Amino acid sequence: MPDERVPAASPEQHLTDIREHGSFVSAHCCCGWRGPARRARARAQADATAHEPLV
């Protein structure tokens, strides 16, 4: 799967997505942050939510 980073509209904005690699998934952010590889999609989504700043 190609790396499709989208630049943030502002420095404070973080756009996250979940990417699969084999039997693992991980959260990725447009700022370059990447969460740990997880087997459970829900845990990867929780990592992404925790990374996003509170608005």
Side-chain angles (χ1 to χ4, degrees):
M1 176 181 274
D3 188 352
E4 299 174 5
R5 292 188 184 179
V6 178
S10 68
E12 300 84 27
Q13 186 177 12
H14 289 258
L15 304 173
T16 58
D17 65 342
I18 304 299
R19 298 183 191 169
E20 296 182 17
H21 185 72
S23 60
F24 292 93
V25 295
S26 60
H28 290 252
C29 182
C30 65
C31 73
W33 172 85
R34 188 177 90 182
R38 306 282 194 184
R39 289 193 182 267
R41 181 176 288 276
R43 294 208 47 204
Q45 184 61 49
D47 292 337
T49 302
H51 174 72
E52 295 172 359
L54 298 175
V55 180

